[in-house]
Amino acid sequence: MESFFSFILYPVSAILWFWHKVFGTVLGPDNGFAWALAVFFLVFTLRVVLIKPALSQMRAGRKMAKFAPHIQKLREKYKNDRQRMAQEMQKLQSEHGVNPLGGCLPALLQIPVFLSLFHVLRNFHPGAQSNFIFDKAGVDSFIQADIFGAKLSNWITQPASELALFGTDRTSMMIVGIPLMLIASVATYFTMRLSVKKQTDASMANPQSAMMAKFMMYIAPIGAIVSGWFLPIAVLLYWLANNVWTLGQQHFLTKKIDAEQERERQKEIEAKKATPRPKPGQKPVRDDKAETSSEGESATATATEAKPAKPAPGQRPGGKPGGKKSQPKNRPGKQASRAKKRR
């Protein structure tokens, strides 16, 4: 564990050490609430760092919701060809500038932080000379600190002998641990509910997605209650602070993205209003001069072809050039008949 998460174990313990110094100066170094506030602000510090990825996650989700109907069409069109469907979906996502892994980044980054904090808290035990950034005085301070008799590094189901070694008992652990589990569970439920509520109808059109979202909305709070019996009190504080922060962050970022989309919509409306439109009853004016000139030229050519050509000077209409009358042909039979008629 230490070798695998060593790159984050020391930063996590350093942040916890810093905030304990801040609140320990005011409340006292061995005060349990000073350590509880140090855990809370450890969470807040890490979540502030993750605000930008969380904002990118929500923006990517909104973009995905816009072309969700196109994805549904692709699924129906290539339902028998999964490889082609995957290729078309990747093409669609690249065209819209959406990275599906971006939505998972904030959650993935919190996993090593949670495991590192859990490991740091488990290393606070009697007789330890150090715990990463903490020296022996820091270890002893954490062990001596308690909240209404419950030690921060112990959990409810821990053997009674180990609880006695830390100077506490199961009853004290339950008095503090159970309310923390319930509050964390309620915060988890409202966080999941808000997340499901903000999903659009298009993204919930898939029955499987809708069913999974509703299932997680109820199973996650139950998981908080069940796992709380096996987690140290300090980890329950971490879980509570994380869920409360997530609930507030979702509310804040949702309002921010809604405002961004409203501004974009207003810009589109203003752009449409700025486009000139013909008045009611007015025919649209054509400004295409090339089209007008080409139409005029074609009409002129047609009229020229239809008009008959003028005869040349000295030429009868329909006659041959030269102005001379055509000479009658010498036909003796016809001349003889004419002479008889004259007589």
Side-chain angles (χ1 to χ4, degrees):
M1 176 72 180
E2 292 185 14
S3 59
F4 186 76
F5 287 105
S6 59
F7 70 98
I8 197 171
L9 283 168
Y10 283 94
V12 167
S13 61
I15 296 172
L16 183 64
W17 176 88
F18 170 78
W19 285 116
H20 173 253
K21 286 293 183 182
V22 172
F23 293 107
T25 304
V26 179
L27 301 176
D30 299 338
N31 188 288
F33 290 99
W35 280 102
L37 289 172
V39 173
F40 268 71
F41 277 80
L42 165 66
V43 176
F44 297 159
T45 303
L46 296 173
R47 294 303 301 271
V48 166
V49 176
L50 296 176
I51 281 182
K52 189 174 181 179
L55 187 59
S56 301
Q57 173 191 6
M58 295 188 71
R59 286 173 177 163
R62 295 294 180 94
K63 288 184 179 180
M64 289 282 289
K66 285 184 179 180
F67 61 90
H70 300 285
I71 294 179
Q72 189 65 24
K73 290 180 181 179
L74 290 176
R75 287 175 178 171
E76 294 175 358
K77 185 177 181 180
Y78 302 106
K79 60 183 178 180
N80 296 326
D81 189 353
R82 292 185 177 274
Q83 185 176 0
R84 180 66 184 278
M85 181 174 65
Q87 292 175 355
E88 293 295 329
M89 284 187 177
Q90 288 179 357
K91 182 179 178 182
L92 185 65
Q93 290 167 356
S94 62
E95 288 176 355
H96 288 78
V98 176
N99 183 9
L101 295 178
C104 305
L105 183 61
L108 292 176
L109 290 176
Q110 291 183 53
I111 293 175
V113 174
F114 177 82
L115 295 176
S116 299
L117 177 63
F118 182 80
H119 188 70
V120 170
L121 295 176
R122 289 291 298 270
N123 281 349
F124 284 111
H125 54 82
Q129 299 298 316
S130 64
N131 185 13
F132 299 102
I133 296 297
F134 293 94
D135 55 8
K136 189 176 185 306
V139 172
D140 294 339
S141 174
F142 186 86
I143 292 172
Q144 294 172 9
D146 66 86
I147 299 177
F148 302 116
K151 298 295 183 178
L152 301 181
S153 59
N154 297 93
W155 53 96
I156 297 175
T157 57
Q158 197 172 4
S161 57
E162 295 184 10
L163 293 175
L165 184 64
F166 282 86
T168 186
D169 53 48
R170 200 177 310 281
T171 303
S172 300
M173 296 296 297
M174 292 177 66
I175 290 174
V176 176
I178 291 177
L180 288 177
M181 287 188 288
L182 294 176
I183 297 172
S185 177
V186 172
T188 302
Y189 170 77
F190 282 106
T191 301
M192 299 295 295
R193 183 182 178 183
L194 181 61
S195 177
V196 172
K197 185 179 179 181
K198 291 300 178 181
Q199 293 181 5
T200 61
D201 295 336
S203 61
M204 295 295 288
N206 189 350
Q208 294 180 350
S209 299
M211 186 181 299
M212 182 60 66
K214 290 183 179 179
F215 176 75
M216 290 302 298
M217 185 173 66
Y218 293 102
I219 200 65
I222 296 174
I225 294 176
V226 173
S227 60
W229 293 83
F230 308 95
L231 294 176
I233 297 296
V235 175
L236 289 178
L237 292 171
Y238 169 87
W239 199 335
L240 174 61
N242 189 62
N243 287 326
V244 171
W245 177 276
T246 302
L247 187 61
Q249 177 179 281
Q250 282 188 349
H251 184 72
F252 172 76
L253 295 184
T254 299
K255 279 191 172 183
K256 179 178 176 61
I257 294 177
D258 288 343
E260 290 178 357
Q261 291 186 338
E262 181 64 22
R263 286 195 296 267
E264 292 178 0
R265 192 176 69 86
Q266 291 296 332
K267 287 181 181 179
E268 292 176 359
I269 293 174
E270 291 175 1
K272 289 180 180 179
K273 289 182 179 179
T275 304
R277 295 181 180 179
K279 297 179 180 179
Q282 179 185 0
K283 295 182 179 180
V285 181
R286 282 185 163 184
D287 296 332
D288 193 355
K289 297 180 180 180
E291 184 179 353
T292 306
S293 61
S294 63
E295 290 179 358
E297 290 176 0
S298 62
T300 305
T302 307
T304 305
E305 292 175 359
K307 187 177 181 180
K310 293 182 179 181
Q315 178 185 359
R316 291 182 179 181
K320 295 181 180 180
K324 296 181 180 181
K325 296 180 179 180
S326 59
Q327 299 294 330
K329 293 183 179 180
N330 186 12
R331 294 178 180 177
K334 288 187 177 182
Q335 290 177 0
S337 63
R338 288 175 183 173
K340 287 180 181 182
K341 289 179 180 179
R342 290 173 184 174
R343 290 177 185 176

